[in-house]
């Protein structure tokens, strides 16, 4: 293989002549990342343009270029670098026109910005998403983009990692032409002729005029979203000073940032998310669905219905009780109106969604090719429903249950259609949260699992495979974490101290804030259901039961772990009394816990349960657990998920924390092989 070939032996860059114009195509499937072979190929192609009147630069397949090859980022980046390639374009005496048909991200857009004009097809998507990888653009993006779209818009695009469609890009001045019905190459050749051989590099453009406070306003909006990660601050500074053309400063910061732990963690989660999607081997057999029946019109069912409507499915929302159905449908239509009013969807989209949605009864599943069950968490009720569904289901209809805890093998045991049953565990609100656990039962057919994955991808979700097991991956680990938080409170920490320690670690909310928000009664009902089968040696914290008995069900009753008044959330004297009573009943003298001790105990609980989940085969790999915790429960993305994070810590500290955990939990505690789990992650 030559230094300019891809791993398949194909040339990474192809060129041919159209008259005296050289057409250069990047050819590095699947998404044309700027590998070393591509960079070398581009330089060689530019050298061979000697004698041409101009160059057209384009990408083969569905992408112009998806950016730098981020696999290269943990070691030295060999020359030629992307800045070298872009400098070669800028110093070429003839104009170069970039043709973007598909994706131009990161170094891809930077390459286009180095050209003298950009022509894009209407399906093009452009952006500089480097921020989401813990870095900043490193090939001139922060310096060339402001010269095309101004500082304020550059702050929005770069610091917000915003990806824009071709039409928007044209309205911003980012691209020169959008092509709808013609071949973009033909239009680009026309454009090249119109340049008459003149160069028009971005760096020589005058800064677009903007109102004096436009950049300040864009920065204020960014800061309002929360604390900015260090790389965002750096990008912001470079964009604001781009009048001075700080290419060397930008490159230096890029080189430094790509080697940080934060950037490594974000790359880990990027690849883990992609690997999670690829798990089912039977992708070829995946089926498509058109008409979906969603049984259960509660909060979860409505969220799932909205997710399907957003993706353009025909949706029938099914409720047994006509009054409940009317209420659910009215909330669904209100939600469409609200999104229209907030400008989230267009009038046409709102009209379309209204026409796709109907309410119905169980008989209506006979016209559906997919049924999603989202009734309340009760195994008997679900079994009764499944038996009833058997009468109406067509022989090819797939059924997905949204149970978050129950044993789906048991639920499907008696069914003749158990091979068509999978779990599809959405997180609330289901139209917003990206994570979906796809649960494969003992009898699920491979095509059904593959279809669930394909379907989830189509809904814009990040699917992760799980096997049957109480709480699957996400809720099982979250239960261990929440249980540990409750134990810390029983032993002396205040709910506010625990929540604050968790937020300080980087979670958006603490466990007690989450409980109050989602309502304490759901977990209470579950604990009562399990009371008889609970291991008597397990350390059981009854504080949440006592809170529920006192009517403190969370925000919905304005009282839970906290009190909620008009002026916000307050620590609660009543909750504190309940906690003290339980402590006294258990003969516990309150211990004082530091922030670090609280964080240590909670992370140990997460890691221990993660190890058990892996040992039980519920999750296929450690990367999947990281994806689940980051996307389902707000584990800080910039730490790469709990297992990646543990791999960056001293092993002794992690094992000591696990020992402490075992002591605190007592004899019924199951200890997972955390050491083995971390060793596997470190060696991968
Ligand atoms: C950058 O450019 C820095 C510069 O400023 C400075 C440098 C000089 N690298 O997601 P998919 C792989 S930073 C390596 O499944 P989709 C991906 O792992 C970069 N590999 O497809 C997968 O591999 P596999 C800025 C990459 O259609 C395959 O390609 N750019 C990269 O759902 C298909 O990917 C970004 O941040 C990469 N950059 O989505 C864009 N990108 O088949 C990152 C993809 O082995 N990429 N792969 O599993 C994306 O957002 C999506 O992949 C994209 C396609 C939208 C392009």
């Amino acid at each position: 293989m030559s230094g300019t070939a891809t791993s398949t032996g194909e040339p990474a860059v192809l060129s041919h002549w159209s008259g005296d114009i050289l057409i250069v195509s990047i050819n590095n499937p699947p998404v044309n990342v700027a590998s070393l072979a591509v960079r070398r190929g581009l330089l060689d192609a530019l050298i061979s343009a000697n004698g041409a009147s101009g160059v057209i630069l384009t990408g083969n397949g569905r992408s112009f270029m998806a950016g730098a090859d981020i696999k290269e980022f943990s070691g030295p980046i060999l020359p030629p670098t992307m800045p070298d390639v872009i400098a070669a374009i800028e110093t070429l005496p003839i104009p170069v026109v970039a043709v973007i048909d598909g994706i131009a991200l990161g170094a891809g857009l930077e390459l286009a910005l180095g050209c003298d004009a950009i022509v894009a097809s209407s399906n093009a998507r452009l952006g500089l998403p480097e921020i989401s990888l813990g870095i900043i653009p490193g090939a001139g993006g922060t310096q060339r983009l402001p010269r095309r779209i101004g500082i304020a818009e550059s702050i929005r695009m770069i610091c917000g990692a915003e990806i824009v469609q071709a039409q928007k890009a044209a309205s911003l001045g980012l691209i020169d032409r959008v092509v709808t019905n013609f071949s973009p190459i033909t239009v680009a050749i026309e454009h090249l002729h119109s340049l008459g051989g003149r160069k028009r590099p971005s760096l020589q453009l005058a800064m677009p005029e903007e109102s004096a406070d436009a950049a300040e306003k864009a920065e204020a909006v960014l800061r309002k979203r929360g604390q900015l990660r260090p790389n965002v601050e750096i990008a912001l500074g470079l964009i604001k000073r781009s009048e001075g053309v700080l290419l060397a400063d930008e490159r230096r910061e890029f080189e430094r940032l790509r080697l940080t732990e934060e950037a490594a963690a974000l790359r880990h989660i990027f690849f883990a998310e992609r690997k999670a999607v690829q798990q089912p081997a039977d992708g070829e057999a995946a089926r498509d669905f058109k008409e979906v029946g969603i049984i259960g019109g509660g909060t979860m069912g409505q969220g799932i219905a909205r997710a399907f409507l957003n993706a353009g499915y025909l949706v029938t929302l099914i409720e047994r009780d006509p009054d409940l159905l009317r209420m659910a449908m009215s909330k669904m239509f209100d939600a469409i109106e609200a999104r229209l009013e907030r400008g989230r969807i267009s009038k046409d989209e709102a009209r379309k969604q209204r026409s796709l949605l109907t309410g119905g009864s169980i008989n209506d599943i006979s016209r559906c090719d997919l049924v999603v069950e989202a009734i309340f968490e009760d195994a008997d009720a679900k079994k009764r429903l499944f038996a009833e569904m058997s009468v109406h289901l067509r022989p090819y209809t797939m059924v997905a249950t949204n149970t978050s805890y129950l044993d789906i093998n048991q639920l499907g045991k008696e069914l003749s259609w158990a091979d068509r049953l999978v779990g599809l565990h959405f997180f609330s609100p289901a139209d917003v949260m990206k994570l979906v656990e796809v649960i494969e039962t003992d009898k699920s057919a491979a095509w059904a699992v593959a279809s669930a994955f394909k379907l989830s991808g189509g809904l814009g979700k990040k699917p992760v495979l799980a096997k049957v097991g109480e709480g699957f991956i996400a809720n099982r680990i979250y239960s261990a974490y929440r249980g540990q938080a409750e134990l810390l409170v029983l032993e002396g920490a205040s709910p506010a101290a625990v929540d604050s320690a968790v937020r300080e670690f980087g979670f958006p909310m603490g466990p007690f804030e989450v409980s109050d928000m989602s309502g304490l009664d759901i977990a209470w009902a579950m604990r009562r259901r399990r009371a008889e089968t609970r291991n008597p040696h397990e350390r059981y914290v009854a504080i949440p039961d006592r809170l529920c008995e006192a009517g403190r069900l969370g925000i919905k009753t304005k009282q839970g772990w906290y009190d909620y008044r008009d002026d916000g959330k307050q620590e609660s004297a009543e909750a504190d009394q309940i906690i003290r009573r339980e402590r006294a009943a258990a003969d516990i003298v309150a211990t004082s816990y530091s922030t670090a001790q609280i964080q240590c105990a909670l992370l140990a609980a997460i890691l221990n349960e993660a190890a058990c989940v892996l040992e039980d085969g519920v999750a296929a790999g450690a990367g999947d657990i990281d994806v689940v915790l980051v996307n389902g429960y707000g584990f800080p993305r910039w730490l790469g998920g709990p297992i990646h994070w543990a791999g960056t810590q001293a092993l002794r500290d992690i094992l000591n924390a696990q020992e402490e955990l075992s002591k605190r939990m007592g004899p019924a505690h199951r200890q997972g092989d955390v050491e083995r789990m971390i060793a596997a992650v470190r060696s991968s």
Side-chain angles (χ1 to χ4, degrees):
M1 195 205 315
S2 92
T4 52
T6 64
S7 55
T8 59
E10 286 265 305
V13 173
L14 304 165
S15 32
H16 69 274
W17 290 91
S18 171
D20 61 354
I21 294 171
L22 184 68
I23 309 217
V24 177
S25 308
I26 304 156
N27 178 43
N28 188 18
V31 287
N32 290 340
V33 292
S35 63
L36 178 61
V38 167
R39 302 194 300 270
R40 281 184 180 151
L42 283 171
L43 268 195
D44 288 353
L46 291 169
I47 291 164
S48 73
N50 195 5
S53 67
V55 175
I56 300 286
L57 180 55
T58 186
N60 272 356
R62 60 187 163 113
S63 160
F64 175 72
M65 180 187 276
D69 184 347
I70 61 176
K71 289 198 188 89
E72 290 182 2
F73 282 6
S74 44
I77 296 177
L78 298 178
T81 62
M82 277 309 283
D84 296 336
V85 174
I86 293 169
I89 291 174
E90 286 180 331
T91 50
L92 205 69
I94 49 171
V96 180
V97 176
V99 178
I100 300 175
D101 193 5
I103 294 156
L105 297 177
L109 181 53
E110 290 174 298
L111 179 66
L113 286 167
C115 296
D116 299 283
I118 306 177
V119 171
S121 62
S122 52
N123 70 356
R125 290 190 298 140
L126 307 90
L128 293 172
E130 284 88 341
I131 289 301
S132 51
L133 291 167
I135 54 172
I136 59 166
T142 64
Q143 304 301 297
R144 289 190 181 89
L145 186 66
R147 286 188 159 67
R148 280 195 166 249
I149 69 171
I151 290 182
E153 289 295 350
S154 298
I155 291 175
R156 276 190 271 279
M157 251 185 98
I158 296 176
C159 298
E162 194 188 325
I163 292 171
V164 296
Q165 305 282 343
Q167 283 301 349
K168 167 120 193 250
S171 69
L172 291 173
L174 169 51
I175 57 178
D176 300 280
R177 301 270 290 265
V178 183
V179 185
T180 315
N181 291 325
F182 297 96
S183 142
I185 303 258
T186 311
V187 175
I189 291 176
E190 261 173 48
H191 196 89
L192 192 60
H193 288 312
S194 76
L195 289 175
R198 284 184 308 277
K199 295 286 283 178
R200 195 176 171 270
S202 303
L203 282 181
Q204 282 176 19
L205 300 176
M207 282 284 195
E209 283 193 13
E210 315 179 64
S211 64
D213 60 350
E216 248 171 63
K217 280 188 183 154
E219 182 176 345
V221 170
L222 191 69
R223 293 202 181 280
K224 217 171 141 197
R225 282 192 219 149
Q227 229 177 4
L228 303 184
R229 301 304 305 158
N231 62 325
V232 184
E233 292 283 6
I234 291 167
L236 187 61
L238 284 162
I239 299 165
K240 284 184 350 193
R241 293 182 293 127
S242 54
E243 194 114 40
V245 190
L246 307 172
L247 289 174
D249 292 18
E250 183 204 72
R251 186 69 185 179
R252 193 172 47 249
E253 289 293 357
F254 161 78
E255 281 291 340
R256 185 181 64 77
L257 286 165
R258 76 178 172 85
L259 296 170
T260 57
E261 276 191 1
E262 178 156 335
L266 288 163
R267 287 197 293 277
H268 159 76
I269 204 77
F270 174 87
F271 287 118
E273 282 172 353
R274 271 137 193 96
K275 191 164 173 222
V277 180
Q278 289 166 2
Q279 280 173 1
D282 207 0
E284 294 301 312
R287 296 184 190 170
D288 293 315
F289 307 102
K290 280 201 180 88
E291 188 153 3
V292 185
I294 294 164
I295 308 184
T299 311
M300 203 65 206
Q302 287 174 37
I304 296 172
R306 287 195 300 273
F308 277 97
L309 283 179
N310 291 343
Y313 286 84
L314 265 169
V315 173
T316 307
L317 190 61
I318 296 165
E319 255 296 346
R320 199 178 294 278
D321 177 326
D323 287 338
L324 287 180
L325 179 62
R326 254 192 306 278
M327 220 156 70
M329 290 296 287
S330 132
K331 282 191 181 162
M332 288 293 300
F333 286 120
D334 287 351
I336 296 174
E337 292 316 307
R339 293 188 72 215
L340 175 63
E341 270 168 34
R342 274 188 239 125
R344 300 262 167 86
I345 47 172
S346 65
K347 272 189 186 161
D348 281 351
E349 178 60 21
R351 197 174 309 122
K352 183 176 146 205
Q353 292 203 2
R354 279 186 226 108
S355 72
L356 289 173
L357 176 67
T358 44
S361 68
I362 191 86
N363 308 346
D364 294 307
I365 64 171
S366 61
R367 58 163 196 264
C368 298
D369 44 17
L370 172 69
V371 175
V372 181
E373 172 279 306
I375 66 166
F376 54 100
E377 277 296 78
D378 182 284
D380 291 336
K382 285 188 198 273
K383 277 187 191 161
R384 278 196 303 276
L385 173 67
F386 285 170
E388 197 180 340
M389 280 165 57
S390 300
V391 181
H392 305 285
L393 278 179
R394 287 191 294 189
Y396 50 82
T397 299
M398 187 170 105
V399 179
T401 167
N402 179 53
T403 178
S404 44
Y405 279 95
L406 298 173
D407 182 335
I408 310 177
N409 286 332
Q410 283 300 321
L411 295 181
K413 207 167 161 203
E414 311 286 321
L415 300 173
S416 59
W417 44 269
D419 58 323
R420 289 182 273 141
L421 175 66
V422 295
L424 211 50
H425 178 216
F426 290 87
F427 290 73
S428 190
D431 51 333
V432 176
M433 296 290 286
K434 290 278 178 226
L435 181 67
V436 171
E437 286 176 306
V438 173
I439 296 115
E440 179 179 22
T441 73
D442 290 348
K443 292 189 182 160
S444 299
W447 70 261
V449 177
S451 306
F453 265 80
K454 188 172 178 201
L455 166 76
S456 307
L459 295 179
K461 305 290 178 196
K462 294 178 177 173
V464 173
L465 184 68
K467 289 281 166 61
V468 174
E470 181 157 318
F472 315 116
I473 305 173
N475 283 353
R476 176 163 163 191
I477 296 176
Y478 193 79
S479 263
Y481 156 82
R482 191 180 52 202
Q484 190 59 207
E486 290 165 0
L487 200 51
L488 289 171
V489 167
L490 181 69
E491 294 201 330
S494 70
V498 173
D499 282 342
S500 142
V502 166
R503 269 187 273 102
E504 212 169 289
F505 185 77
F507 281 83
M509 291 171 94
F512 300 112
E513 292 161 337
V514 172
S515 288
D516 274 0
M517 192 181 73
S518 41
L520 274 67
D521 45 335
I522 299 167
W524 188 31
M526 196 169 64
R527 285 194 300 276
R528 281 183 297 185
R529 264 201 315 274
R530 290 198 201 133
E532 276 180 21
T533 51
R534 185 175 304 125
N535 181 343
H537 301 293
E538 181 190 313
R539 277 198 81 182
Y540 183 75
V541 182
I543 300 169
D545 296 349
R546 302 289 101 81
L547 291 171
C548 291
E549 284 154 16
R552 304 184 65 93
L553 303 182
I555 294 178
K556 60 185 165 193
T557 58
K558 295 201 181 317
Q559 298 175 320
W561 291 93
Y562 297 92
D563 287 340
Y564 296 86
R565 305 199 195 114
D566 292 343
D567 54 344
K569 179 179 96 201
Q570 318 268 337
E571 286 190 57
S572 160
E574 190 189 9
D576 189 51
Q577 267 177 11
I578 292 174
I579 293 167
R580 283 172 194 275
R581 269 203 300 275
E582 284 302 305
R583 239 178 240 154
D587 235 354
I588 290 172
V589 180
T591 310
S592 135
Y593 286 102
S594 67
T595 297
Q597 283 170 320
I598 293 171
Q599 291 171 343
C600 206
L602 293 174
L603 287 158
I606 290 175
L607 291 172
N608 186 70
E609 201 59 35
C612 296
V613 162
L614 281 175
E615 282 161 22
D616 294 349
V618 172
D624 286 1
I625 295 182
D626 283 339
V627 172
V628 163
L629 270 283
V630 165
N631 292 297
Y633 279 116
F635 190 97
R637 193 176 179 85
W638 64 89
L639 297 177
I643 309 178
H644 177 87
W645 170 83
T648 65
Q649 306 297 302
L651 183 61
R652 195 61 266 151
D653 294 346
I654 299 283
L655 296 180
N656 287 345
Q658 203 195 8
E659 272 313 307
E660 285 294 314
L661 174 79
S662 292
K663 277 190 221 150
R664 194 175 309 112
M665 297 296 287
H669 176 64
R670 172 177 167 195
Q671 202 165 354
D673 194 344
V674 169
E675 185 168 0
R676 191 162 143 220
M677 174 176 77
I678 293 175
V681 166
R682 280 184 172 156
S683 65
S684 70

